[in-house]
């Protein structure tokens, strides 16, 4: 730590703390280690201070403080980011986790969510009204980071990505001013926020369009597991089936080890499997017809598809993946699940290094692929899949092993991919990977970045560098 930073921590940060309605936590405070920890325990960053903001005024105060004192800023929503980009060494962390209120408008079919909400908060609020907005496949993820990267989930085939359902965002900009971005106000910023990540400001709240789902929020869903030996056949069947299905039914495919916990039958604990997790959100009197191809296929080890509140399906995996595990991620988009790709899945699926390690492919088709590539910053609209390989384990001693397995798997699978990856699944992989993810939208993002954050004040993220004089500028970091 430099002398200047140390002085900032001991004197100026005390003044910042006094100005906030939330709390400021600095090294040496009792809650510091807990406050700096993120979901991925492989990340170990030591911020200069963590400002748990209580309201938008606190966020403005933090941004102005950081500007005046030349402090680096990291912004934290749910803390789930793979690369741990919600925190930064020596940075002032603007932590949104105390700002978690939601307001549902059932007449307008909208929900307004503060930026510290997790999807569990939002689903809880909307499903009570029989509605939901597209989110992800796990409820503990932060609304902010997931939304700003795009948002791929159970409802994406039917209603599009999370960003396709974003109506407005309240944002504190890099100069400390506050704007609401929507189609009719700061529309360039609104375009960029829909996939461009945390590059453009601190979002304090989001307003989403909601949709009626299932029967008053009860959907029909759950996993179907097949013996790992059937993987090639299941993957080939799945890749043909998905595009033919009504959009009320979605399913993501995984290679996994069946967890050694209830409600999975003990006889299957620890067995390698190929699984598909289904979610049908249409009227229940059509469910049998729509699910017939799923129910009649193959010889599954387990069929767990049943009626349940959408909140239950959304949170079904939260307990299996608590915060504090070691995670190493590699990802790509795929236009097809090719035969060559399936060979690679078989090779590395057989070698899953730990019980938590897994590979998922999430469909991005249907409504999500009917949005034009340049309509939002999220550029992958080809109608394929977002794939992710994750080495996961509780034991830090296994970090090298799970990382190596994921890297090797990705190296062999990558040639079968469409190129870039979902930014929310990227680790710290460099500028070329960020550019590949945004495809033709990168240059426009760099223009919007110049307009709203010309100094690259917000750079602890999958960074889009502001254009200067017609050429991409260097990061100020
Ligand atoms: C177990 C697990 C499951 C996942 N499943 C899915 C899934 O199903 N679908 C999917 O789309 N993604 C999924 N993801 C990826 C997820 O979208 C990203 O990890 C996302 O970054 C998490 O958002 P967060 O707010 O929790 O993260 P954080 O770590 O808090 O932040 C992530 C990034 O967003 C920025 N940011 C956070 N809050 C704000 C804000 N208020 N204003 C501006 N910038 C902000 C941060 O600076 C950082 O760069 C999953 C991740 C995990 C760990």
């Amino acid at each position: 730590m430099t002398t200047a930073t140390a002085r900032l921590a001991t004197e100026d940060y005390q003044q910042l703390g006094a100005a906030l309605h939330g709390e400021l936590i600095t090294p040496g405070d009792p809650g510091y280690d807990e406050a700096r920890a993120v979901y991925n325990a492989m990340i170990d960053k030591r911020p200069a201070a963590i400002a748990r903001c209580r309201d938008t005024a606190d966020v403005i105060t933090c941004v102005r403080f950081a500007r005046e004192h030349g402090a680096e800023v990291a912004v934290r929503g749910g803390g789930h980011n793979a690369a741990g980009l919600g925190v930064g060494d020596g940075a002032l962390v603007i932590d949104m986790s105390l700002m978690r209120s939601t307001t549902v408008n059932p007449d307008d079919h909208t929900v307004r969510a503060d930026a510290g909400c997790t999807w569990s908060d939002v689903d809880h609020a909307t499903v009570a009204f029989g509605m939901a907005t597209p989110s992800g496949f796990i409820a503990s993820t932060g609304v902010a980071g997931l939304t700003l990267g795009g948002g791929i989930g159970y409802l994406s085939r039917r209603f599009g990505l999370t960003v396709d359902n974003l109506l407005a965002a309240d944002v504190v900009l890099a100069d400390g001013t506050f704007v609401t971005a929507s189609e009719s106000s700061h529309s360039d910023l609104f375009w960029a926020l829909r996939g461009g990540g945390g590059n453009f400001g601190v979002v304090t709240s989001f307003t989403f369009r909601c949709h009626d789902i299932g029967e008053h929020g009860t959907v029909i869903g759950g996993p179907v597991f097949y013996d790992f030996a059937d993987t090639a056949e299941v993957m080939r069947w799945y890749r043909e089936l998905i595009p033919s299905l009504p959009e009320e039914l979605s399913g993501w495919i995984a290679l996994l080890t069946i967890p050694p916990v209830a409600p999975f039958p003990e006889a299957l604990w620890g067995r390698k499997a190929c699984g598909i997790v289904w979610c049908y959100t249409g009227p229940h009197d059509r469910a049998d017809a729509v699910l017939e191809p799923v129910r009649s296929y193959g010889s599954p080890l387990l069929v767990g598809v049943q009626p349940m509140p959408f909140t239950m399906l959304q949170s079904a995996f939260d307990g299996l993946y608590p915060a504090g595990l070691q995670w190493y991620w590699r990802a790509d988009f795929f236009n097809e699940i090719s035969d060559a790709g399936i060979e690679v899945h078989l090779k590395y699926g057989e070698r899953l290094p730990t019980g938590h390690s897994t590979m998922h492919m999430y469909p991005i088709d249907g409504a999500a692929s009917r949005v034009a590539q340049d309509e939002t910053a999220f550029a992958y609209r080809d109608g394929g899949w977002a794939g992710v390989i994750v080495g996961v384990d509780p034991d830090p001693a296994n970090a090298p092993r799970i990382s190596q397995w994921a890297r090797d798997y990705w190296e062999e699978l990558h040639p079968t991919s469409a190129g870039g990856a979902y930014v929310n699944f990227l680790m710290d992989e460099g500028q070329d990977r960020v550019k590949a993810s945004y495809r033709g939208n990168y240059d426009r993002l760099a223009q919007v970045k110049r307009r709203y954050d010309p100094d690259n004040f917000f750079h602890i993220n999958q960074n889009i560098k502001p254009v200067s004089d017609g050429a991409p500028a260097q990061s100020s970091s």
Side-chain angles (χ1 to χ4, degrees):
M1 186 182 281
T2 65
T3 314
T5 317
R7 208 165 41 235
L8 196 68
T10 52
E11 296 165 15
D12 303 88
Y13 276 123
Q14 281 174 358
Q15 282 177 20
L16 174 64
L20 298 178
H21 272 199
E23 51 183 335
L24 193 81
I25 303 166
T26 52
D29 288 343
Y32 177 73
D33 282 335
E34 194 192 324
R36 72 185 179 88
V38 289
Y39 182 79
N40 180 0
M42 219 182 263
I43 310 291
D44 182 18
K45 305 245 179 87
R46 302 190 66 83
I50 299 149
R52 287 207 166 132
C53 296
R54 197 49 87 185
D55 53 23
T56 300
D58 277 356
V59 176
I60 292 171
T61 302
C62 286
V63 168
R64 289 188 178 151
F65 172 89
R67 275 229 96 97
E68 280 165 23
H69 294 84
E72 251 189 314
V73 156
V75 185
R76 177 188 173 122
H80 261 231
N81 189 261
L85 294 170
V87 288
D89 279 325
L92 167 63
V93 175
I94 300 180
D95 180 338
M96 309 300 289
S97 61
L98 296 183
M99 293 172 63
R100 287 177 74 157
S101 78
T102 54
T103 309
V104 178
N105 185 330
D107 296 331
D108 285 356
H109 271 66
T110 60
V111 60
R112 187 170 185 274
D114 282 349
C117 286
T118 63
W119 283 107
S120 152
D121 300 323
V122 176
D123 294 335
H124 168 79
T126 61
V127 174
F129 295 90
M131 315 187 297
T133 196
S135 55
F137 301 94
I138 199 156
S140 57
T141 310
V143 168
L146 181 139
T147 300
L148 293 169
I152 305 161
Y154 286 113
L155 306 181
S156 299
R157 295 195 77 229
R158 187 172 177 198
F159 300 119
L161 303 178
T162 308
V163 286
D164 302 331
N165 293 275
L166 182 65
L167 298 173
D170 290 332
V171 193
V172 176
L173 300 175
D175 62 2
T177 58
F178 174 82
V179 299
T180 297
S182 68
E183 287 288 5
S184 58
S185 164
H186 297 274
S187 57
D188 53 350
L189 175 62
F190 187 57
W191 176 86
L193 290 174
R194 286 176 290 165
N199 276 282
F200 305 95
V202 185
V203 177
T204 55
S205 80
F206 299 87
T207 303
F208 299 103
R209 183 186 304 115
C210 295
H211 306 271
D212 293 330
I213 52 159
E215 303 279 349
H216 308 292
T218 294
V219 301
I220 298 175
V224 180
F225 292 153
Y226 302 89
D227 194 289
F228 185 77
D230 297 338
T231 296
E233 193 193 308
V234 172
M235 283 189 152
R236 281 196 281 269
W237 166 75
Y238 169 82
R239 76 183 175 194
E240 307 300 329
L241 179 70
I242 282 285
S244 74
L245 290 173
E247 289 169 9
E248 290 88 347
L249 180 58
S250 189
W252 52 276
I253 192 163
L255 300 181
L256 72 152
T257 306
I258 299 177
V261 288
F264 302 106
E266 207 169 332
L268 298 179
W269 288 3
R271 186 154 164 180
K272 287 200 169 87
C274 176
I276 304 173
V277 184
W278 295 102
C279 176
Y280 170 72
T281 58
H284 287 198
D285 57 5
R286 289 189 52 226
D288 283 346
V290 174
L291 283 161
E292 194 281 330
V294 171
R295 291 202 164 118
S296 62
Y297 173 77
S299 311
L301 297 171
L302 174 147
V303 179
V305 178
Q306 56 193 296
M308 62 179 85
F310 186 61
T311 41
M312 189 182 285
L313 183 61
Q314 278 279 88
S315 56
F317 299 96
D318 290 18
L320 294 174
Y321 288 97
L325 306 180
Q326 306 281 312
W327 287 73
Y328 187 86
W329 299 60
R330 294 313 297 261
D332 270 320
F333 291 120
F334 294 86
N335 288 344
E336 57 170 349
I337 300 174
S338 65
D339 287 346
I342 290 173
E343 289 304 315
V344 180
H345 291 306
L346 291 176
K347 177 173 168 186
Y348 286 92
E350 257 177 359
R351 302 177 189 172
L352 287 169
T354 59
H356 287 86
S357 298
T358 181
M359 186 288 303
H360 296 174
M361 300 277 276
Y362 304 118
I364 311 185
D365 65 341
S369 63
R370 284 193 293 277
V371 176
Q373 182 171 310
D374 61 358
E375 207 172 316
T376 68
F378 185 95
Y380 180 82
R381 302 288 189 168
D382 299 11
W385 281 268
V388 62
I389 299 160
V390 281
V392 191
D393 196 61
D395 186 353
N398 283 330
R401 195 157 66 90
I402 59 177
S403 307
Q404 193 59 49
W405 169 82
R407 271 196 294 269
D408 292 347
Y409 193 162
W410 181 85
E411 290 287 348
E412 283 194 45
L413 194 62
H414 180 63
T416 73
S417 77
Y422 178 34
V423 285
N424 273 346
F425 293 162
L426 286 179
M427 301 290 280
D428 195 356
E429 297 176 36
Q431 199 61 22
D432 285 348
R433 288 285 283 162
V434 177
K435 284 185 174 167
S437 299
Y438 288 115
R439 300 172 148 187
N441 287 343
Y442 187 87
D443 289 348
R444 184 171 166 193
L445 281 164
Q447 298 279 356
V448 180
K449 178 80 170 172
R450 176 172 63 175
R451 175 152 184 217
Y452 289 94
D453 184 14
D455 306 324
N456 209 2
F457 176 72
F458 296 111
H459 58 260
I460 301 182
N461 44 41
Q462 298 297 348
N463 196 228
I464 293 159
K465 301 193 189 312
V467 163
S468 82
D469 299 329
Q474 295 305 304
S475 165
S476 63
S477 58

